[in-house]
Amino acid sequence: MGFLHKIFVASGFLLIGLTTNAQKKSISQQVDSLLQLMTLEEKVGQLNQYTGRELTGPGSDKNTNKIKDIRAGLVGSMLNVKGARETREIQEAALQSRLKIPLLFSLDVIHGYKTIFPVPLAEAASWDLDAIGLSARIAAREASASGIHWTFAPMVDIARDPRWGRVMEGAGEDTYLGSLIARARVLGFQTNKLGGTDAIMACAKHFAAYGAAIAGRDYNAVDMSDQMLWETYLPPFKAAADAGVATFMNSFNTLNGIPATGNKYLQRDILKGKWNYRGFVVSDWGSIGEMLPQGFAKDQSDAAFKAITAGSDMDMESRAYKGSLVQLVKDGKVAVTLINDAVKRILYKKFELGLFSDPYKFSDTTRELSVLNDPQSRVEARNMARKTLVLLKNGKSVTGSSILPLQKSGQKIALIGPLGKATRDLEGGWIVKTDSNNVVTIFEGIRNKIGTGPLYAKGTDIAGNAVTGFNDALAAAKEADVIVLAIGESWDMSGEAKSRTSIDIPGQQMALFRAMKATGKPVVAVVLAGRPLTINELADSADAIVYAWFPGTEGGNAIADVLFGDYNPSGKLPISFPRNTGQIPVYYNHNNTGRPVTNPKNIIYKSAYIDAPNTPLYAFGYGLSYSNFSYSDLKLSNTDLSKNGKIVLSFTLTNTSKRAGEEVVQLYLRDLVSSVVRPVKELKDFKKIMLAPGESRAVDFTVDREKLSFYNQQLEWVAEPGEFEIMIGTSSDNILLSTKINLTANK
Ligand code: NOJ
């Protein structure tokens, strides 16, 4: 144990997990005393983050001096190093440095570490905050057992453009749902307090507005009004900050001409100023250096100056801080107080994690072995995956019964399509640890239900022009009573740097679908993708559609659970599905025009397209169940809302079917006349409710002033007196109950 560690032990600092103010002060004091021992070079070292051998951005691993730099105290954190043994080895080098400050190990643990959960967009389709929190918890347990202190998740960027491949990593298009999910994920990763051996730091990214890249092209510029920024894009970040997220990551995009990384308004004025955020901000990979091609900085030194001034604390892989900050301070261009502030924020987190008491606390090979092999994680991954599947269509068979669920016996099934036996593709992007051999395929999932493998033919590839497999597919289909067609994207078609101008189902897969349809057998399409795809033809002519996203390690079992009715689907879309790319962006909470379409047959001089409807193919909040639900008997405690009052709305939800099932009831509202035009509807509450067959339940929602508030022209959060329409429904485009309330003048 080094002298510094002895000091901390002696001061009693090591008691982990206490929450008193006294102890908080003691962390600050410890940080201050450590800071006083540090040279300027060591301080700048804390702001420097290197990648390990794996790369998650452009560049190469040519810097052979990393270990030397670590020993010299010139590195604060490493990304892309994982494993209890590997992290321990590198931490040992850090503990050979003069002050023995431990490193932070960080990694993109986005939807699981060893046990892969559905991609984040899929999880958002569950509308189940507890389940989403649990998924993050299990990821943290596994990652922490492999030496990871810090995940670069959750991505809380609102995304309304499915051409942008990174829609996969977020919670979709809605700010309210996205903010709740941001909170659930942060608490799942971190628990209520850092310091436990399975609590890892979360990172709210990418600050800010990255999801609004022009034309859906990754890394592209963003141009948006302040109104839109505050109203739509910032709230999930605020929710993450309020939940105590330990770190933020800035982003690659420019926002109204200023790179986010060099953006003082975002990082200093809003985040560290108005929100009083105490954690630290890491740059995105190389984003400090990218201010050169953006035309915002003339050289690395200028970029370092602009980034640190703007509030970017840690430099991921630009090497700009390491190369320039010491000189900038010596030249008097950067005040040492700026450096001190950034270093203190980082050290504080190292103390909170308990790394000064035990720098190896996460690098324990015995724990790693047992946690990574805990069978319960797979049970939870399957539970989660079932909740994320969205039943988009369920037609009728010739006998008049619904196509789904399928029968486990007495019905011959042909599984067709390039994703039927896929493993890696079920996991989706951002897989950092897993071995795809663990994945349960759709074929295996069906076999687990019916006791024997279904008829199977691949038919074609995901991409490309191959049609030679059609004959085998037709032969299998002819023998079957029903065809399950597994089609969609490969894992690497969505995610970072995976923007697409066409979001059709690629290759010859739709030709395969047509060939299957031509057999006259019912076709159930199981679509895998990291984003909404344009699936009009399936919507028109498939007999049933299950949207399965990228469902993870237990994907095949989860899909089979839904196909055979062992799980009654309850997922609802967290993002609108466009009919074609020309409609993008299409989202439910848009503003009205002065010429809205009120009758689709009359679009002359209306805000409309002449070749497609304005409405999406499938709207935000949409998703079917094997049960049916009715909504009735809406009652209000009051129709007038005074300044500090509340209105309670209640209605009866009934499961009118013979199956137990879950419904996500959604509350939307619209401010009818206001000083800034408000969206036609905005989600303000929801509940997920399980009902037995025939059961009725009273459901309550409370509306208060907060729910009616918005940012006015001066960017003040206000509720304006007047009428509001309240809408309750089963999706954003299927409102079943509505009423009006009145916010009375400010008294
Ligand atoms: C770039 C991505 O934008 C970011 O989300 C990720 O965390 C970093 N690379 C590190 O891999």
Side-chain angles (χ1 to χ4, degrees), residues 194-261:
L194 293 175
T197 35
D198 63 2
I200 62 174
M201 298 198 297
C203 180
K205 71 187 189 184
H206 307 84
F207 197 60
Y210 180 47
I214 293 173
R217 181 155 50 78
D218 208 1
Y219 317 123
N220 205 0
V222 172
D223 217 305
M224 71 167 58
S225 67
D226 262 351
Q227 208 77 39
M228 177 81 89
L229 179 70
W230 282 87
E231 188 83 37
T232 305
Y233 287 83
L234 291 184
F237 287 100
K238 178 67 164 60
D242 289 346
V245 72
T247 68
F248 265 57
M249 184 186 291
N250 57 36
S251 56
F252 292 122
N253 56 287
T254 55
L255 173 63
N256 304 332
I258 314 293
T261 304

Side-chain angles (χ1 to χ4, degrees), residues 8 58 81 157 166 180 196 233 256 305 315 351 361 384 473 567 587 656 664 667 689 719:
F8 295 133
V81 178
D157 297 307
R166 300 197 82 171
L180 292 176
Y233 287 83
N256 304 332
F305 168 76
D315 173 357
F351 278 113
K361 67 187 276 191
M384 180 81 238
Y567 181 81
Y587 50 92
T656 55
V664 179
L667 175 100
I689 296 166

Side-chain angles (χ1 to χ4, degrees), residues 56 79-80 108 152 166 169 205-206 210 249 252 284-285 316 430 496:
T56 47
L79 77 149
N80 295 335
D108 291 284
F152 297 133
R166 300 197 82 171
E169 291 173 56
K205 71 187 189 184
H206 307 84
Y210 180 47
M249 184 186 291
F252 292 122
D284 204 345
W285 178 292
M316 180 197 296
W430 283 123
E496 187 181 346

Side-chain angles (χ1 to χ4, degrees), residues 554-626:
E554 284 286 332
N557 279 332
I559 289 169
D561 285 340
V562 164
L563 290 179
F564 292 93
D566 289 339
Y567 181 81
N568 186 351
S570 64
K572 300 269 190 175
L573 297 178
I575 186 165
S576 306
F577 274 43
R579 294 171 193 271
N580 56 45
T581 43
Q583 278 189 322
I584 295 171
V586 57
Y587 50 92
Y588 83 96
N589 49 353
H590 58 85
N591 289 353
N592 220 359
T593 68
R595 296 186 181 193
V597 176
T598 44
N599 170 5
K601 293 206 176 96
N602 174 13
I603 57 163
I604 302 296
Y605 294 117
K606 300 285 188 188
S607 175
Y609 299 106
I610 57 170
D611 58 354
N614 286 359
T615 53
L617 179 64
Y618 294 114
F620 174 81
Y622 172 79
L624 302 172
S625 158
Y626 297 148

Side-chain angles (χ1 to χ4, degrees), residues 115 117 138 141-142 371 374-382:
T115 311
F117 280 68
I138 292 170
R141 276 189 72 221
E142 291 190 352
V371 171
D374 181 352
Q376 189 57 27
S377 305
R378 291 190 71 130
V379 172
E380 300 300 351
R382 179 174 181 167

